[in-house]
Structure formats: C-alpha cells, structure tokens
Amino acid sequence: MKSFIPFVFVFLVFSSCKKPLEDEIATYQTYFEQSEGKETATYEQTIAFYIKLAKEFPEVNIQTIGETDSGYPLHMVTFNPDGDFNLENVRKDKAIILINNGIHPGESDGIDATMLLYRDLVTEQLKSPKNTILVTIPVYNVGGALNRNSTTRVNQNGPLEYGFRGNALNYDLNRDFIKMDTKNMKTFAEIFHLVQPDVFVDNHVSNGADYQYTLTHLFTQHNKMGGELGEYLNESFMPQIEKALADKNWDITPYVNVFNKPPELGFSQFMDHPRYSTGYTTLWNTLGLMVETHMLKPYKKRVEGTYELMESVLALVENEFDNIKKLRANTFAEDMERDSYYFNWQIDTTRTTTMDFKGYEATLTKSEVTGLPRLKYHTDRPFTKEIEYQNFFYPKDTVTIPEAYLVRRGEQRVLKRLEANDIAYYPLEKDTLLRVEAYQILDFDTRKRPYEGHYTHFNTQIEKSTLEISFSEGDILVPTRQQGIRYLLETLEPQAEDSFFNWNFFDTALQQKENFSPYVFEDIALEMLRKDSLLRNEFLLKKEAEPDFAESWYAQLDWIHKNSKYLESAYLRYPVYRIAKNSEAAALVTMD
C-alpha cells in the first residue's frame, strides 16, 4: 500500500496559485488514457491522481472522511472554481452535484470518467461552471476495489482487470442504504448529509440483454418522488439530458429492465427502493440518476459515454440551478404540511409510454451446451422498433403521518441509524402514560434464503389500535416534521418495503416468551369458555369450519390462550408507537 492513504480521520487541503501551461496538461493523464482505454485505475492510482490535482489547482479539495470495512477511509473530492469548500456557505447560492463511483468496483467506468471530468475542468478544456459545485466519492467500495481480478464479470467487455462487487465483508453496498450494516454506509451518510446534494449521480455497468445502446439511464421513479419535483424530473430534467446526449451523437435509453428475454417485448422501469442509492437519496428530495452503461460495449466507449452523460448533467444543472433549488425547497416545505404518505409502489398497467428502441434481432436456437433452447442476439441484424415502456407507478399503501414516533431507549440499533441520518429526537423527561397508536403484526412472509446478511420479511400486514401505554424516562420521541420525514416513514412504518421491521430489526417481538402448560391451562380455558359466550361461540365455529383445528388439542388450547388476557402484550406488538396529529400526546412534540 502507498503511504499516502491514512488510517485516521484526516482533513487534507491541497492548493496552489499556479496554473499549468497548455504543454503541461499531458502530465495529468489518467491511467485509463495511458492504457489507451483498456484498463482502469487502481484505488491507489485514483487517490494519487486527485491528490495531485488538489496540490496543483486551488479549485480542487480532497479530504478523508470516516471509515470503511476495508480499514481505509472514504475520500471526498470537491471542485469549486471559487476555491471555497465550506459547503454550508456555498450551497446558499450554488447547486451541488454528488457523484458516487465504484459502489461495484467491477463497474469502473465512472471511476475513470470522473477523473477525466475533473481534469478537463481544472485544465479549462471544459468551461468552468459558475453556479454548480461537483463533489465525488472517487471509490466508494474500497475493499472491493482492492480485490482485483479479471474473471468474475464473465459478461463484461473490459477493462483488463477490475474490482469485485462485494465489499471487504462481502456486502453489496447498493443494498445497504437503509439497513446500514457496513462502515462504508455509515460514512456515506456522513458525506451525504454534509454535502446535501441537489443532484446525485451513481455510475454503474449492467447487462440484461443485448442492444445497440452504450448508455442507459435509471432516474429515480417520478411518481414515487412525487409533486412538482417528480414532474420536473420526468418531463424536463430527463428529456433535456437525453436531448443533450443526442446532440452529441450519443444514444441513450431507459435502463433495460429484463433478464434473458428480448427487450422489444417491452419492459418496466426499475423501482429504486430506499435500499438502493438513488432510492435513499430521494428521501431527501435529491434528484437521482443511476448511469448504467452496457457491459458488452468496449470499455473505452463506455467510459467516454459516462463522461458525456456527466458533462450533460453538469451543463443542465448549471443552467437550471435556481429552478432546481426552488423546487427542492418547495418540496421540503410541502413535506411539512403532508397529512398522508404513499409507499409500496406498483406498476400501473393501465398507463404505458411508447418509445423507439434500438435493438438486435433475437432468436431461440438449440444450445450446444444443454441441448435446450437458448436466447441468441444477432448484432448483424440491428433494428429500431416502437415498444411499450411501463414507467408509471401507483402506491399500494397509504398511511396518515403521525406527529411523532416513540421508540424505546433500548432500541440502539435504530437510534444509531437515526443519528447517522441527522434525525432530530429527544428523550422523555419522566415516566409517562400516553395514549398512542400501536401496531399489531398480523402476518408477514420471510425469505427462505439469506439476502445481504438478513432473512428479510415482506408482505407485512398490520392492524392499528389506540392504547394507553406506559413509557419510561429516557424513551425517545421522534418528531416527523423535519427534513428526514420521508426517511422516518420509510423505515418506521413496518409495512414499508425497506422498513426496519422488514430488515429484521424487531424480530424479538415475533417470538412468544411466555406460554402455558396444557394440564394447567385446561381448567382455565374451560372456565373462560363458560363465562364468555362470544369467545365460546367463536371457538365452536372455528372447530366446525377447520377440521385440522378440531383434531388438534394443542391448537385449540393455544387459540384460547392467544385470545385471552394471559397472552403477553409484547407478542407481535410492533415496538414503535405513533403519536397522532392533534392528539393529547401531540403536545409533547412542541416541548423544548
């Protein structure tokens, strides 16, 4: 390892008043260029490149922030022509674009393209923006970048060597933005909330089919983003990026969301749930774009396309920074006034978009490996066809927004994640009996195979009731009316796709801790049925309707126990509570 990589939190500022002469520009060649577009820079080469720029150009600042699971820190590189790197100060008058690279280090296009972009800005080969600041994480998945090979991406056409998808602990970091199992993500959250970007770009490479395009885009889903900001994203921001690229003779299409089927049959927009980078950044009303180059295209062309796309984003933001900042500010203000929140978005099959798609003819032929049909694309038979694209979604679930949530002080895993995301909360000052909304978990499904270190839940169903609950001094009150309102709703409402519940944070509530001994409970159950005619009638009807239940003495006793005062209240009780707007308990939220 090179000695310039620190193992501690260090703030580095390199600057100089010296500008290079034209004949010195070649000294800032990237490793990608030196290899004639065949190779990608290593992690060490990448960081050394930015350190060199920061030493030579006052417009560039590099700093190390936080930790990663590899033991190395993350770097954050800022480009501001004014040389002011106090982001709290400069964001008042300028837009900020945050570029993330190397979340999957085998998808290295953005690593090299961003180095070229910064170099061309400081050497004035590109016009320097006046209204926009660039911030990049040069290599997010440091552990994966250090684990280089040339075989694991079997479909990919270059570079010669690349990093590995999993991080140092073999997590896929683009599934970790809510559960936050990695040090990488804890540091990303620190950078994100420090930067507070108006636009976020995450550079990737992908292939689910073969087609003519080098570039595909995955903008955050516009219905999910909602309001004026969602409309702007879908009706202005995205079309302008597409046009700017077309003017430079770069075709681009929406991310081809298919697997082993011809895309001309039509496909739907990929839904970026909060576990993904653009889904997470959307929770703070940041315009999100995931770049997906086509891995079968030559590496040099992919890097060049990524560069052109980022340059187009920069040019658009430069021209529309005032409007973007205004729309975001309006959306934050509207969030404070919302009464309802929509989530668990589904494809709206009643609405589609038609578009011209440039693909290749595909046929099913007999496989020489399996002897069974296989899909084969014919790149010598290109076509342009009108296809259907499903890019409208509707919310399956709606909740009323509470005034606040109450979380027991012992839920440290949850509280640490709230803290990492700049969520404001405060402890109760004394033991208190409060009338709150409580959820009972009625049903859920669980994956049978591990997914990113979890056996996640889904199809979660709940029932809401209003109860008087005792809370202790030090339990945590979390107001919802703050900039992280969408983050709170997506994580603390158990039925949300990426809720903390579905990521197993509250699994202890799913296990019954106290039970009954049958020979003792028999007499208690008999007395209950004698005294409670409603319970007795429901019990007899269930026996009549369900033969398996009627033949199981334990199932019958267990049903009676679960419908009695003897069942512990904690069983299937979701341990996060809601304070309804205008309720008596809501007065607590206004307290200092």
Side-chain angles (χ1 to χ4, degrees):
M1 284 307 153
K2 302 282 182 74
S3 60
F4 62 78
I5 303 173
F7 284 81
V8 296
F9 306 140
V10 180
F11 182 81
L12 302 173
V13 180
F14 298 109
S15 64
S16 169
C17 295
K18 181 182 177 183
K19 281 282 189 180
L21 300 173
E22 287 298 318
D23 59 2
E24 292 179 326
I25 290 177
T27 64
Y28 301 99
Q29 262 202 337
T30 67
Y31 184 67
F32 164 79
E33 291 170 305
Q34 293 169 13
S35 71
E36 299 181 342
K38 297 177 182 177
E39 298 190 52
T40 183
T42 65
Y43 168 67
E44 296 92 338
Q45 289 168 334
T46 302
I47 302 307
F49 176 84
Y50 284 109
I51 288 177
K52 184 176 182 179
L53 288 188
K55 285 180 177 178
E56 297 292 335
F57 298 93
E59 303 94 333
V60 178
N61 163 264
I62 183 170
Q63 60 191 106
T64 55
I65 297 181
E67 298 178 283
T68 69
D69 290 325
S70 68
Y72 295 90
L74 282 185
H75 291 79
M76 185 178 93
V77 185
T78 306
F79 171 80
N80 183 3
D82 298 339
D84 185 351
F85 303 108
N86 182 336
L87 296 178
E88 188 66 31
N89 180 48
V90 298
R91 77 164 53 91
K92 297 173 185 175
D93 302 310
K94 295 190 178 189
I96 302 178
I97 301 173
L98 174 61
I99 301 169
N100 191 44
N101 290 316
I103 193 170
H104 300 144
E107 303 168 21
S108 54
D109 305 17
I111 295 173
D112 293 308
T114 307
M115 293 165 71
L116 295 173
L117 183 65
Y118 269 64
R119 189 274 312 282
D120 288 353
L121 285 168
V122 297
T123 58
E124 300 180 353
Q125 296 181 68
L126 284 178
K127 184 178 178 181
S128 189
K130 296 180 180 179
N131 306 310
T132 311
I133 295 168
L134 283 181
V135 180
T136 188
I137 300 173
V139 182
Y140 177 41
N141 183 354
V142 180
L146 295 172
N147 184 12
R148 286 171 74 93
N149 72 93
S150 59
T151 57
T152 54
R153 294 186 69 83
V154 65
N155 300 321
Q156 190 161 294
N157 184 9
L160 296 179
E161 280 192 344
Y162 39 76
F164 184 66
R165 186 179 184 91
N167 86 329
L169 296 179
N170 209 28
Y171 282 102
D172 184 334
L173 294 179
N174 204 28
R175 311 292 186 273
D176 195 42
F177 283 86
I178 290 297
K179 61 187 177 67
M180 200 180 285
D181 285 335
T182 65
K183 289 182 178 180
N184 298 66
M185 179 50 209
K186 293 179 178 70
T187 303
F188 182 95
E190 183 179 353
I191 291 172
F192 179 77
H193 293 293
L194 172 66
V195 174
Q196 297 178 32
D198 299 285
V199 176
F200 174 73
V201 179
D202 199 3
N203 287 312
H204 289 249
V205 183
S206 187
N207 169 47
D210 203 357
Y211 39 82
Q212 298 177 45
Y213 304 93
T214 297
L215 290 173
T216 73
H217 60 66
L218 200 164
F219 287 88
T220 197
Q221 208 286 318
H222 61 95
N223 301 113
K224 174 170 68 78
M225 173 161 269
E228 290 183 324
L229 199 59
E231 290 178 9
Y232 171 75
L233 177 70
N234 188 54
E235 297 174 12
S236 180
F237 193 85
M238 180 176 66
Q240 288 190 73
I241 295 296
E242 292 174 329
K243 183 180 184 305
L245 287 165
D247 290 344
K248 295 186 283 188
N249 295 316
W250 279 94
D251 287 330
I252 190 167
T253 195
Y255 172 69
V256 183
N257 187 24
V258 300
F259 177 74
N260 210 40
K261 75 171 188 176
E264 62 264 30
L265 300 178
F267 54 90
S268 65
Q269 184 176 9
F270 182 86
M271 172 52 68
D272 54 337
H273 296 297
R275 71 186 64 174
Y276 303 110
S277 63
T278 57
Y280 168 83
T281 57
T282 298
L283 300 182
W284 283 271
N285 299 320
T286 296
L287 295 168
L289 163 61
M290 197 174 289
V291 182
E292 296 275 3
T293 60
H294 189 224
M295 68 198 305
L296 296 180
K297 303 300 185 288
Y299 186 60
K300 185 173 186 293
K301 189 174 183 181
R302 299 197 326 253
V303 172
E304 291 169 350
T306 303
Y307 175 99
E308 294 295 345
L309 196 155
M310 289 192 295
E311 193 276 329
S312 297
V313 170
L314 175 59
L316 176 57
V317 175
E318 176 69 6
N319 289 334
E320 302 203 358
F321 79 102
D322 266 338
N323 188 36
I324 291 172
K325 294 182 76 66
K326 178 184 175 183
L327 286 170
R328 293 190 68 233
N330 289 346
T331 303
F332 277 119
E334 290 166 3
D335 285 345
M336 298 303 103
E337 303 300 322
R338 287 190 189 203
D339 291 320
S340 300
Y341 185 72
Y342 308 99
F343 54 96
N344 292 342
W345 295 83
Q346 311 292 313
I347 296 171
D348 184 349
T349 57
T350 68
R351 303 178 69 189
T352 59
T353 298
T354 57
M355 64 180 184
D356 290 332
F357 182 81
K358 296 181 177 181
Y360 297 120
E361 278 192 31
T363 58
L364 285 177
T365 62
K366 183 178 180 181
S367 168
E368 295 183 36
V369 177
T370 67
L372 299 172
R374 58 151 294 187
L375 183 64
K376 182 175 178 60
Y377 290 93
H378 302 276
T379 56
D380 58 342
R381 304 181 204 167
F383 65 77
T384 300
K385 292 182 181 179
E386 188 177 84
I387 70 167
E388 287 194 347
Y389 176 51
Q390 296 176 310
N391 62 325
F392 292 93
F393 285 67
Y394 70 92
K396 187 178 73 172
D397 294 304
T398 305
V399 292
T400 57
I401 298 176
E403 195 69 18
Y405 290 99
L406 276 162
V407 182
R408 299 291 188 184
R409 62 182 175 181
E411 300 287 355
Q412 287 300 307
R413 291 193 303 167
V414 169
L415 296 176
K416 286 179 180 178
R417 283 155 178 78
L418 300 187
E419 290 170 6
N421 284 284
D422 279 4
I423 298 297
Y425 63 76
Y426 50 91
L428 295 178
E429 296 180 352
K430 60 181 180 180
D431 294 353
T432 310
L433 181 68
L434 294 174
R435 192 166 182 80
V436 297
E437 295 177 341
Y439 285 143
Q440 195 76 6
I441 305 297
L442 296 182
D443 199 10
F444 59 92
D445 295 311
T446 303
R447 284 180 181 259
K448 292 182 170 54
R449 294 190 177 188
Y451 177 72
E452 292 303 314
H454 294 251
Y455 288 85
T456 55
H457 305 311
F458 60 100
N459 292 336
T460 300
Q461 299 177 39
I462 52 94
E463 182 179 65
K464 183 171 70 174
S465 59
T466 301
L467 303 172
E468 286 193 339
I469 305 286
S470 294
F471 294 92
S472 302
E473 176 186 349
D475 285 344
I476 302 301
L477 188 71
V478 188
T480 57
R481 306 298 167 173
Q482 53 181 300
Q483 283 204 339
I485 183 173
R486 295 184 67 168
Y487 175 84
L488 287 170
L489 289 158
E490 292 282 358
T491 58
L492 296 183
E493 290 294 326
Q495 67 274 44
E497 178 79 18
D498 279 328
S499 68
F500 287 143
F501 174 82
N502 282 337
W503 280 109
N504 309 120
F505 282 59
F506 300 111
D507 278 6
T508 53
L510 305 180
Q511 182 185 10
Q512 193 174 332
K513 300 301 189 294
E514 304 277 15
N515 218 312
F516 59 86
S517 292
Y519 76 95
V520 176
F521 191 64
E522 278 274 359
D523 297 328
I524 298 172
L526 179 60
E527 188 67 16
M528 287 172 56
L529 294 174
R530 283 173 175 168
K531 290 183 176 181
D532 189 336
S533 61
L534 291 176
L535 180 69
R536 181 175 67 251
N537 290 339
E538 188 177 353
F539 175 67
L540 294 174
L541 285 172
K542 186 174 178 66
K543 286 179 67 174
E544 184 177 344
E546 300 177 23
D548 289 344
F549 178 77
E551 294 178 6
S552 172
W553 61 266
Y554 184 84
Q556 294 177 48
L557 291 178
D558 185 60
W559 183 89
I560 296 170
H561 181 261
K562 282 184 168 58
N563 286 274
S564 74
K565 65 181 181 181
Y566 302 106
L567 180 69
E568 64 207 58
S569 62
Y571 179 54
L572 297 180
R573 169 80 57 78
Y574 179 61
V576 176
Y577 302 89
R578 295 162 42 102
I579 294 179
K581 189 176 181 180
N582 299 323
S583 67
E584 184 178 339
L588 284 172
V589 182
T590 62
M591 293 173 58
D592 293 331

